Amino acid sequence: MTGLLVVTAVPAEADAVRAGLTDPTVTVAPVGVGPAVAGAATARLLALAEAAGRPYRAVVSAGVAGGFVDHVAVGGTVLGTASIAADLGAESPEGFIPIDDLGMPPALLGTGSTVTADPELLATLRAALPTATVGPVLTVTTVTGTAVSTRELRRRHPEAVAEAMEGYGVAVAAAQAGLPFAELRTISNPVGPRDRDAWRLREALAALTEAAPALR
């Protein structure tokens, strides 16, 4: 068995992680934006490693994210206790219905719309990053950009600390392979009305580099 697999959405995130790594056995790979492409690409990486007789021991989805301002500040670091497919479900006149409540949750290993982080892997990351904010991370396919949608997400997921676009897909791929999973994010912007001037991508990437030694 080989080391940890860390997947990011884009090359800039992968470069930021690599810049701070201290464990040479960690593999970092950008796999694309969104849960579908990230999940498919991660599953392929895991299958190829297993077929070669060098399976990974765990998977971490890492990168930048939007943070819910009542939980974490821009530039902060987040560790996900769970990755939640926040927009997987159906609209109705009464509001959003999660896939779990529709009688047709994803069959794979009973994951439903939530994949919980591996307790041991999460504990290791928390020990290495004691100041990180810990809580659920939402996976969305459309970045939240209005006050209305922000309020709705807060209502449905009051404990969520951040939103990103790949965690749930990567988590399902890890579950397929029977591997521990966790999500590590640094905050580039507040979740809310879209305002590119408020984004601090450079600071978030620097925070990702600072957090990278925890990946080992």
Side-chain angles (χ1 to χ4, degrees):
M1 182 170 289
T2 56
L4 183 70
L5 174 63
V6 179
V7 295
T8 70
V10 298
E13 294 167 322
D15 290 343
V17 172
R18 291 189 189 106
L21 282 180
T22 57
D23 184 345
T25 71
V26 175
T27 298
V28 184
V31 293
V33 176
V37 67
T42 300
R44 182 174 184 274
L45 290 173
L46 295 178
L48 289 172
E50 185 174 352
R54 298 188 300 273
Y56 293 103
R57 61 175 178 81
V59 183
V60 173
S61 177
V64 303
F68 289 102
V69 293
D70 51 343
H71 288 301
V72 61
V74 171
T77 298
V78 162
L79 294 172
T81 55
S83 298
I84 302 173
D87 53 12
L88 183 62
E91 290 185 328
S92 79
E94 291 73 35
F96 180 80
I97 305 173
I99 193 73
D100 311 71
D101 297 338
L102 291 174
M104 53 177 183
L108 173 64
L109 303 179
T111 52
S113 61
T114 300
V115 179
T116 302
D118 178 78
E120 291 186 11
L121 179 56
L122 180 60
T124 297
L125 292 171
R126 291 186 70 173
L129 298 166
T131 64
T133 299
V134 180
V137 176
L138 306 182
T139 297
V140 295
T141 53
T142 301
V143 174
T144 302
T146 68
V148 171
S149 55
T150 302
R151 285 195 298 269
E152 175 62 12
L153 278 183
R154 301 304 295 125
R155 183 188 68 79
R156 287 167 35 214
H157 303 284
E159 301 303 316
V161 296
E163 73 165 24
M165 301 184 75
E166 295 78 33
Y168 177 78
V170 176
V172 171
Q176 282 194 49
L179 293 177
F181 166 82
E183 187 166 2
L184 165 65
R185 297 285 174 178
T186 55
I187 304 305
S188 60
N189 59 281
V191 177
R194 187 170 178 81
D195 178 10
R196 288 301 300 269
D197 291 337
W199 288 25
R200 298 293 180 266
L201 187 57
R202 182 176 300 176
E203 289 90 334
L205 291 173
L208 198 57
T209 298
E210 292 178 8
L215 300 167
R216 55 182 185 270

